[in-house]
């Protein structure tokens, strides 16, 4: 059993924290690789229609929330690093099953759909538990109290970078090889994340007494509902825009927007965070104008993802700080969990809406505009 004496780290970026940050990068990259990979598998086949594809993504989004009420009980009753490891292994097993389902299944259409729905739901459950345990518990355990906000900020930026890096890697891999090799890359990322966390030692903590099996602890911060709704709407918009995107250039410029927002936010608007959300909203408006007026703007192909990345970076950072500042010390994990659910749930919701209402004239027009960029 590990010692209860936790080593002191004056600096945030020590060996254990770097290992956890890389693990965060690996699991989020693996998940976001599934966005173009999902389309490659199903959108041009006769197995599924678009609405059924939307249902699968929607069930993934539901899975993100379904495991939440049990999170605190699981972490209190079992070693928190073991909870992460087992849930991440669950992610790996589901992805392996989906790969076999795609290439080796000879079942009927209805059976195939049901298996895919169950797989997506379970994948959402395992991913939610892994991500919230890693960012809301394990990372916090490995840094001092005065470094925890910086740790949460670093993890949030890693997730944003993964949103551009993951799909870009998948698109390149599918172009150079095929979906099977892309699956191997995604699964390898998950395995690497498991190994990294296994290398980090965590102090044993005595569980609290009388822990309820179902609770909102480490799940949903009810006092931050307005932040949750605002952030979810932003990520729904992002999901609508990237739902059918298969361009490496798009994701590269999206990454550029994240980098610009991170650097300028750190050096120019850090002391006045309210300005950051205003700047983010301005960039969001400019993004829509660039989409609507692309014919008259030869640079819209680069401006749309760049401004989208800037707006997401500014608004996301502002909302994260609002969550952290609104929560007291013992509610930090709960606030971080709510932030994650707003981002990932909104993104899944946007992609789900795009697929479910693919034939809607407004959605179709937006897709046509984006494909014309």
């Amino acid at each position: 059993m590990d010692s209860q004496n936790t080593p002191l780290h004056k600096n945030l970026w020590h060996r254990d924290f770097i290992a956890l940050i890389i693990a965060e990068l690996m699991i989020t990259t693996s998940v976001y690789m599934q966005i173009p990979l999902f389309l490659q598998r199903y959108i041009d086949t006769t197995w599924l229609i678009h609405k059924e594809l939307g249902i699968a993504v929607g069930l993934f989004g539901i899975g993100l929330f379904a495991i939440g009420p049990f999170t605190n009980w699981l972490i209190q009753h079992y070693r928190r690093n073991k909870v992460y490891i087992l849930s991440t292994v669950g992610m790996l097993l589901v992805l392996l099953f989906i790969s076999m389902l795609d290439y080796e299944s000879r079942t009927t259409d209805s059976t195939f759909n049901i298996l895919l729905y169950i797989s997506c739901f379970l994948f959402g459950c395992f991913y939610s538990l892994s991500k919230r345990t890693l960012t809301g518990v394990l990372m916090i355990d490995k840094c001092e109290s005065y470094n925890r906000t910086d740790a949460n900020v670093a993890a949030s930026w890693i997730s944003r970078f993964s949103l551009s890096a993951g799909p870009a890697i998948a698109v390149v891999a599918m172009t150079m090889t095929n979906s099977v090799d892309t699956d191997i890359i995604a699964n390898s990322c998950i395995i690497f994340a498991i190994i990294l966390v296994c290398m980090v030692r965590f102090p044993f903590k005595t569980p609290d007494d009388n822990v309820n099996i179902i609770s909102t602890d480490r799940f949903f911060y009810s006092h931050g509902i307005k932040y949750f709704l605002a952030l979810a709407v932003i990520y729904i918009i992002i999901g609508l825009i990237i739902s059918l995107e298969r361009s490496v250039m798009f994701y590269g410029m999206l990454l550029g927007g994240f980098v610009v927002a991170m650097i300028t936010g750190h050096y120019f608007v850090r002391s006045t965070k309210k300005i950051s959300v205003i700047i983010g909203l301005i960039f969001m408006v400019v993004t829509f104008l660039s989409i609507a007026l692309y014919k008259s703007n030869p640079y819209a192909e680069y401006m749309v993802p760049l401004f989208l990345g800037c707006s997401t970076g500014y608004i996301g950072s502002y909302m994260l700080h609002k969550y952290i500042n609104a929560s007291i010390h013992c509610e930090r994990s709960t606030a971080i969990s709510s932030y994650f659910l707003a981002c990932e749930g909104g993104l899944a919701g946007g992609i789900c809406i795009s697929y479910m209402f693919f034939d809607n004239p407004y959605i179709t027009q937006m897709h046509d505009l984006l494909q014309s960029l």
Side-chain angles (χ1 to χ4, degrees), residues 15-127:
R15 186 187 65 179
D16 289 345
F17 183 77
I18 292 174
L20 296 179
I21 278 290
I22 297 175
E24 163 83 358
L25 177 65
M26 291 296 101
I27 63 170
T28 51
T29 297
S30 177
V31 171
Y32 292 138
M33 284 179 67
Q34 305 306 313
I35 297 176
L37 186 58
F38 210 51
L39 289 175
Q40 179 74 14
R41 282 173 172 159
Y42 305 124
I43 204 168
D44 295 325
T45 68
T46 57
W47 286 100
L48 292 172
I49 61 175
H50 294 300
K51 290 186 177 180
E52 290 171 326
L53 194 64
I55 293 173
V57 178
L59 286 171
F60 166 80
I62 294 174
L64 295 174
F65 292 83
I67 196 68
F70 308 98
T71 302
N72 188 52
W73 181 81
L74 290 171
I75 292 175
Q76 291 288 349
H77 277 73
Y78 304 97
R79 294 292 298 272
R80 48 197 65 196
N81 56 326
K82 299 296 178 59
V83 172
Y84 167 83
I85 292 170
L86 291 177
S87 59
T88 310
V89 169
M91 290 176 57
L92 178 62
L93 294 177
V94 172
L95 285 184
L96 290 173
F97 178 77
I98 292 176
S99 301
M100 293 187 295
L101 186 67
D102 182 30
Y103 298 107
E104 299 179 4
S105 175
R106 297 183 179 179
T107 57
T108 62
D109 289 1
S110 59
T111 304
F112 177 84
N113 293 340
I114 292 173
L115 291 175
L116 181 62
Y117 295 160
I118 295 174
S119 300
C120 289
F121 175 78
L122 291 176
F123 189 63
C125 291
F126 288 131
Y127 172 53

Side-chain angles (χ1 to χ4, degrees), residues 63-325:
L64 295 174
F65 292 83
I67 196 68
F70 308 98
T71 302
N72 188 52
W73 181 81
L74 290 171
I75 292 175
Q76 291 288 349
H77 277 73
Y78 304 97
R79 294 292 298 272
R80 48 197 65 196
N81 56 326
K82 299 296 178 59
V83 172
Y84 167 83
I85 292 170
L86 291 177
S87 59
T88 310
V89 169
M91 290 176 57
L92 178 62
L93 294 177
V94 172
L95 285 184
L96 290 173
F97 178 77
I98 292 176
S99 301
M100 293 187 295
L101 186 67
D102 182 30
Y103 298 107
E104 299 179 4
S105 175
R106 297 183 179 179
T107 57
T108 62
D109 289 1
S110 59
T111 304
F112 177 84
N113 293 340
I114 292 173
L115 291 175
L116 181 62
Y117 295 160
I118 295 174
S119 300
C120 289
F121 175 78
L122 291 176
F123 189 63
C125 291
F126 288 131
Y127 172 53
S128 177
L129 184 58
S130 295
K131 179 72 180 291
R132 290 184 293 110
T133 303
L134 179 60
T135 59
V137 181
L138 298 183
M139 285 186 183
I140 292 176
D141 285 348
K142 297 305 293 185
C143 60
E144 302 306 314
S145 58
Y146 52 82
N147 282 329
R148 288 176 178 175
T149 297
D150 289 338
N152 296 140
V153 171
S156 69
W157 279 112
I158 287 295
S159 295
R160 295 188 194 105
F161 293 152
S162 300
L163 180 57
S164 56
I169 293 172
V171 171
V172 172
M174 289 187 295
T175 302
M176 298 177 62
T177 56
N178 53 45
S179 297
V180 177
D181 295 326
T182 309
D183 279 326
I184 294 175
I185 296 173
N187 295 337
S188 299
C189 289
I190 295 179
I191 294 172
F192 188 44
I194 295 172
I195 294 173
L196 286 172
V197 175
C198 288
M199 294 170 58
V200 178
R201 299 187 66 184
F202 295 91
F204 174 78
K205 291 188 176 182
T206 305
D208 297 335
D209 297 328
N210 301 321
V211 178
N212 295 325
I213 297 178
I214 298 177
S215 69
T216 58
D217 291 342
R218 306 182 193 272
F219 169 44
F220 191 78
Y221 187 61
S222 58
H223 298 294
I225 187 66
K226 59 182 179 180
Y227 308 132
F228 179 89
L229 295 176
L231 195 59
V233 169
I234 296 297
Y235 272 84
I236 286 174
I237 295 172
I238 298 173
L240 288 170
I241 293 176
I242 71 171
S243 58
L244 294 181
E245 190 56 57
R246 303 188 194 184
S247 169
V248 176
M249 189 280 298
F250 177 92
Y251 291 111
M253 295 304 296
L254 182 66
L255 177 61
F258 290 148
V259 172
V260 170
M262 182 182 67
I263 294 175
T264 57
H266 179 78
Y267 288 105
F268 298 105
V269 297
R270 189 173 185 178
S271 59
T272 53
K273 295 183 177 66
K274 288 185 178 180
I275 296 178
S276 65
V277 72
I278 297 174
I279 297 174
L281 292 173
I282 292 174
F283 274 119
M284 185 65 70
V285 172
V286 174
T287 300
F288 283 109
L289 291 177
S290 299
I291 294 174
L293 305 175
Y294 73 97
K295 290 183 179 180
S296 60
N297 191 338
Y299 300 104
E301 181 180 3
Y302 310 98
M303 292 169 59
V304 169
L306 181 65
F307 290 157
L308 182 64
C310 288
S311 63
T312 306
Y314 281 122
I315 297 174
S317 296
Y318 174 79
M319 293 298 179
L320 176 63
H321 281 95
K322 295 298 289 184
Y323 259 119
I324 294 174
N325 293 336

Side-chain angles (χ1 to χ4, degrees), residues 332-352:
R332 179 181 288 267
S333 294
T334 308
I336 296 302
S337 173
S338 293
Y339 176 84
F340 160 78
L341 292 173
C343 296
E344 300 294 338
L347 185 66
I351 298 175
C352 173

